[in-house]
Amino acid sequence: VVVGIVMWRQPPQHQEWKGAGTTAHFYEIILGRCYTYTQIVRPELGHKDCQKIGKAFTDAFLSKDPCSSTEQDYQPLMELTNQTVPCDKTLLWSKTNELVHEYAWVQRELFTLENTLLGYMADGLRWCGDPGSPEMNYQSCPDRWKDCSNNSVSVFWNTVSKRFAEDACGVVRVLLNGSVHNTFDERSTFARVEVFNLHPEKVHTLQAWVMQDIRNISSDSCSHASIKNLKLILSKRNITFTCENNYRILQDFFMF
Ligand code: NAD
């Protein structure tokens, strides 16, 4: 009697989440971006070890529960990617993703988080692991609203945004969107993390530039209730607040 034993390999069984999975070729992308940034964009960071940085990034979330991510998980990565942004050159943003980066592309001396090594590497990507597997979960990752807020991607952005704000000095700028109802959105990273981690001993002023759709300028955005709230928070923190509607240079820039 011949007994046939059929063996097959099952694909790794990952937990199913409501958000899209890890970006395809995640590791190759972060490694490539690290080399591009440190060799071409900012060659003064050419001494950074991208292999080590790439490993610290994936070590932060692989084989772990993607809903219990912590700041601690990202500490080794944070230490390998420290970078100095000159005083007066920090540019924060909220709800102005495209415009702010077009502007920063022209105003090369200004740094958004995405113009620093770690922000540059991670911008637009998704990632998560699974406690039962050493691999990335390319099928699904936690959605921050439907699954959990302490997911690997959100905790990463909270952690790097916190450091970015803590490190800022001099005048800090923020580009806000005056065409949405919550120009200063209390749920945004800017409001929850960045505003509260500016150090008043180092940052004397927060200068807001509030942009509106130029085809549709109707109101004075700086007097908007949500902006008053921002002003109040900053005055309690001993940081001067200034606000300009449709900042001129940006507006001209927008039109061309
Ligand atoms: P925003 O509401 O316009 O969000 C900007 C982008 O970040 C959106 O794609 C949003 O989905 C994503 N994002 C924000 N908070 C997130 C979180 N907790 N988890 C996962 N994704 C999140 O503006 P914001 O929330 O004020 O964030 C912008 C500010 O915070 C900037 O100053 C920047 O320094 C930093 N930041 C950047 C990113 C990024 O994707 N590059 C993400 C978060 C925060």
Side-chain angles (χ1 to χ4, degrees):
V1 181
V2 180
V3 181
I5 301 173
V6 182
M7 286 175 66
W8 71 94
R9 270 171 58 121
Q10 279 196 318
Q13 294 296 303
H14 289 295
Q15 189 161 348
E16 277 180 35
W17 303 103
K18 300 211 167 60
T22 303
T23 309
H25 310 291
F26 174 83
Y27 194 68
E28 290 77 8
I29 295 172
I30 57 163
L31 212 56
R33 285 181 176 181
C34 181
Y35 283 117
T36 303
Y37 191 88
T38 56
Q39 296 300 317
I40 297 163
V41 182
R42 303 267 167 206
E44 65 273 21
L45 294 184
H47 60 279
K48 295 276 188 203
D49 185 340
C50 287
Q51 296 290 341
K52 245 184 167 174
I53 292 172
K55 182 163 186 313
F57 203 145
T58 51
D59 280 352
F61 67 91
L62 287 183
S63 304
K64 296 183 183 177
D65 172 5
C67 272
S68 315
S69 188
T70 65
E71 229 183 283
Q72 228 49 46
D73 291 333
Y74 287 104
Q75 271 327 298
L77 175 64
M78 301 291 286
E79 280 158 29
L80 291 170
T81 55
N82 65 323
Q83 181 177 358
T84 309
V85 173
C87 288
D88 305 327
K89 303 300 180 202
T90 296
L91 178 57
L92 307 177
W93 56 275
S94 199
K95 322 259 176 249
T96 51
N97 197 346
E98 272 185 35
L99 177 65
V100 79
H101 294 115
E102 284 173 24
Y103 184 62
W105 177 251
V106 178
Q107 289 292 315
R108 290 288 180 124
E109 84 278 6
L110 291 180
F111 283 79
T112 64
L113 178 57
E114 299 71 35
N115 298 115
T116 67
L117 173 58
L118 204 43
Y120 185 89
M121 285 172 60
D123 197 23
L125 304 183
R126 297 185 49 82
W127 62 89
C128 68
D130 191 292
S133 153
E135 280 155 39
M136 300 190 204
N137 186 347
Y138 294 104
Q139 271 75 54
S140 67
C141 286
D143 176 275
R144 72 169 152 141
W145 307 117
K146 295 182 198 139
D147 293 308
C148 56
S149 57
N150 283 338
N151 63 78
S152 19
V153 175
S154 295
V155 170
F156 169 86
W157 286 114
N158 287 342
T159 307
V160 290
S161 302
K162 181 178 167 202
R163 172 172 75 178
F164 190 55
E166 279 172 349
D167 287 350
C169 48
V171 182
V172 170
R173 275 112 184 171
V174 62
L175 188 61
L176 297 175
N177 187 341
S179 297
V180 293
H181 76 280
N182 49 351
T183 299
F184 175 64
D185 174 4
E186 291 193 333
R187 296 189 310 176
S188 69
T189 307
F190 170 65
R192 285 181 304 108
V193 180
E194 293 176 327
V195 165
F196 290 98
N197 283 290
L198 295 171
H199 285 206
E201 320 85 66
K202 292 193 293 176
V203 176
H204 55 83
T205 305
L206 181 75
Q207 183 176 27
W209 297 333
V210 185
M211 296 304 299
Q212 277 184 296
D213 186 334
I214 48 173
R215 289 156 297 190
N216 185 19
I217 297 174
S218 49
S219 60
D220 167 12
S221 300
C222 284
S223 55
H224 191 276
S226 74
I227 295 286
K228 289 204 178 109
N229 186 18
L230 172 59
K231 191 182 163 85
L232 184 67
I233 291 171
L234 287 161
S235 74
K236 283 188 193 152
R237 302 206 61 231
N238 274 328
I239 296 173
T240 306
F241 178 71
T242 67
C243 184
E244 275 183 64
N245 286 300
N246 298 295
Y247 183 66
R248 258 310 294 236
I249 297 171
L250 257 174
Q251 199 176 352
D252 292 345
F253 168 77
F254 213 9
M255 292 172 83
F256 294 107

